[in-house]
Amino acid sequence: MKRDIAAKVLITTLTKGQLIKTDDMRNHMVFLAKGAIRGFIMVGRQDVTISISLENNVLGSPNAEIFTRNEYPLTLQAVEECQLMMMPYSLIPYLQEKYPSMAVIGERLTGLYYYVATERSLLSRLPSAQLRYFRLLKTNPEFFKRIPLKYLASYLVMRNETLSRLRTKNRSAGIAEHAD
């Protein structure tokens, strides 16, 4: 299976700040092997961060048409240098037929994607900035080490100033933001 995948997978490197349009990913399942990526949409002239992914995650949306059929196309941006592995969707049925273990891999990736989507949904629905901040701090403390605060504030549905106040308040209370 490794040989079959290696023969078809494209490996690419992104520099910090480089953009990927969802349209460019339409024919590939994209796995983030190294780095950090944020997904954002434009609402008027404001960019809104709707996803953050660190290495060992699948990028984008399994139903990317949602972001290509309407006025909110998803754009992915490298937040740090990244390495991507892009596997053609057309390869998946072949792998599933030839290798029964591919079903287990697919189930695990689906489960991981569902977990991340559910967590993102919960995070966006918590009624206060403080609750959203503490939830993200508990579930993804690594984000606070690697993702610029302006993107975290957008992801948490708050202004930069609000996130800054929450961080200052936590430091004063002796709550560590970075898990060691």
Side-chain angles (χ1 to χ4, degrees):
M1 183 165 63
K2 286 181 183 178
R3 280 191 300 273
D4 284 343
I5 292 171
K8 298 285 185 178
V9 165
L10 304 170
I11 297 177
T12 186
T13 301
L14 301 177
T15 59
K16 183 178 178 178
Q18 192 170 350
L19 302 178
I20 311 167
K21 289 278 189 189
T22 302
D23 288 344
D24 297 336
M25 297 180 8
R26 187 172 296 195
N27 297 317
H28 295 89
M29 181 175 78
V30 180
F31 183 77
L32 178 59
K34 176 186 164 214
I37 298 245
R38 77 178 183 112
F40 69 95
I41 59 172
M42 294 302 295
V43 180
R45 292 180 14 205
Q46 179 182 7
D47 91 30
V48 178
T49 300
I50 63 169
S51 68
I52 297 172
S53 299
L54 302 180
E55 49 273 319
N56 300 319
N57 277 292
V58 176
L59 298 180
S61 171
N63 52 352
E65 302 83 43
I66 289 172
F67 295 108
T68 59
R69 286 186 306 202
N70 64 28
E71 69 274 20
Y72 301 114
L74 177 68
T75 302
L76 300 176
Q77 180 181 36
V79 177
E80 44 188 51
E81 187 172 310
C82 296
Q83 183 177 44
L84 306 179
M85 296 168 51
M86 301 172 67
M87 183 171 68
Y89 282 124
S90 60
L91 182 61
I92 295 172
Y94 166 78
L95 293 172
Q96 289 172 330
E97 186 176 314
K98 189 170 179 182
Y99 305 103
S101 61
M102 192 64 189
V104 174
I105 294 168
E107 287 174 14
R108 287 190 180 161
L109 287 175
T110 301
L112 174 63
Y113 196 88
Y114 180 76
Y115 170 79
V116 169
T118 303
E119 186 61 42
R120 190 167 45 235
S121 176
L122 171 65
L123 189 65
S124 71
R125 286 172 172 76
L126 292 174
S128 74
Q130 184 171 359
L131 288 173
R132 291 189 300 275
Y133 171 78
F134 280 119
R135 180 67 187 188
L136 187 63
L137 189 58
K138 177 181 176 183
T139 58
N140 291 292
E142 189 71 16
F143 285 7
F144 291 89
K145 295 178 185 178
R146 297 173 60 185
I147 307 299
L149 292 180
K150 66 182 178 179
Y151 301 144
L152 286 177
S154 175
Y155 183 68
L156 289 167
V157 193
M158 64 179 72
R159 293 184 5 248
N160 291 350
E161 297 82 7
T162 304
L163 179 55
S164 181
R165 275 194 300 277
L166 285 169
R167 294 178 75 228
T168 300
K169 186 176 175 181
N170 275 350
R171 280 194 291 268
S172 296
I175 298 172
E177 196 166 87
H178 301 301
D180 294 320

